[in-house]
Amino acid sequence: MTRTDGYLLDNRQDEAAERFDAFAALFDPTTFRHLSALGVGPGWRCWEVGAGGTSVVSWLAKKVGPTGRVVASDIDTSRLTAAARPPVEVRLHDVGADEPPGEDFDLIHARLVLVHVADREKALLSMVAALRPGGRLLIEDADPALQPLLCPEDRGEEQQLANRLRHGFRELLARRGADLSYGRRLPRLLREAGLRGVEADACFPVTSPACAALESATARQIRDRLVTAGLATDEDIDRHLANVASGDMDLATAPMISAWGRKA
């Protein structure tokens, strides 16, 4: 993620930990499936870009073992301290501006990161350059424009309010430079960066307790900015949070596109 005062979802806010837990519940199975298929194992040198939380970092650490290395980087490492022990190295790092924290990595992974980075092209090329020949890159990013609704079944007042607030969230992201249709471009971008054997798939959670937990944490985290921007009122957000807590709505995430390939 880019180091900027305009970043909407600050890791230091209380709700960030809830969001990381929800992301882990929603997307870790997909991420771990892809990482396992890429062959991560003992002795591998890995870079987890924009790590945020610890779930993927801890999984990689177990896989690479004491002979491996996992560099966990982010613009805010406050949520990574629990994982900061060998083979994990925690680095304060801006993937859109700083040089890579090493070279000849066997694997580089970024999840829900590049969509927020202002200079996404530079960040992607930086990661490719840091791979060893034959090294693997796995980029997983959202595509909110591909499926813009929080409630895909837009059938009543509760769902319509939810979708209006989701539109406000997307508006705030766009104003801060997020690319809301980035995920769908990943396969082409990886090929253009010179990677071989590029493949991709998508994960699209439609309803689960983790979807509701993610929405509740997000709405609380951005409520002041929604209100300040005139995109919602406090009453709107209070009503929406009560609707989410009722468990009567089917809440979806934006699709997460996973794309991977290897360096020639």
Side-chain angles (χ1 to χ4, degrees), residues 49-142:
V49 181
T54 62
S55 66
V56 177
V57 173
S58 297
W59 187 92
L60 286 171
K62 291 178 181 178
K63 289 292 183 179
V64 305
T67 60
R69 179 188 183 211
V70 178
V71 177
S73 69
D74 207 314
I75 59 169
D76 182 344
T77 59
S78 58
R79 305 283 179 183
L80 291 171
T81 54
R85 56 184 180 275
V88 176
E89 305 170 24
V90 173
R91 300 281 189 93
L92 189 67
H93 182 269
D94 182 344
V95 70
D98 300 335
E99 292 298 314
E103 57 185 13
D104 292 332
F105 287 104
D106 299 291
L107 168 80
I108 298 175
H109 173 242
R111 186 173 75 187
L112 304 175
V113 174
L114 293 187
V115 67
H116 299 288
V117 173
D119 197 343
R120 284 172 281 273
E121 181 179 4
K122 178 181 178 181
L124 180 59
L125 293 177
S126 173
M127 286 187 276
V128 172
L131 286 169
R132 66 165 178 82
R136 275 74 165 175
L137 178 66
L138 171 62
I139 305 294
E140 301 181 298
D141 236 317

Side-chain angles (χ1 to χ4, degrees), residues 150 157-166 168 215 219-220 222-224 226-245 249:
L150 177 58
E157 292 183 3
E158 295 87 352
Q159 289 79 12
Q160 290 161 11
L161 173 60
N163 287 337
R164 179 161 62 83
L165 294 181
R166 173 58 60 89
E215 176 57 21
R220 286 181 281 115
I222 66 172
R223 72 176 298 156
D224 290 344
L226 284 171
V227 172
T228 299
L231 296 168
T233 66
D234 278 313
E235 291 76 13
D236 288 334
I237 297 169
D238 286 339
R239 186 154 46 98
H240 175 58
L241 288 171
N243 292 338
V244 171
M249 294 192 299

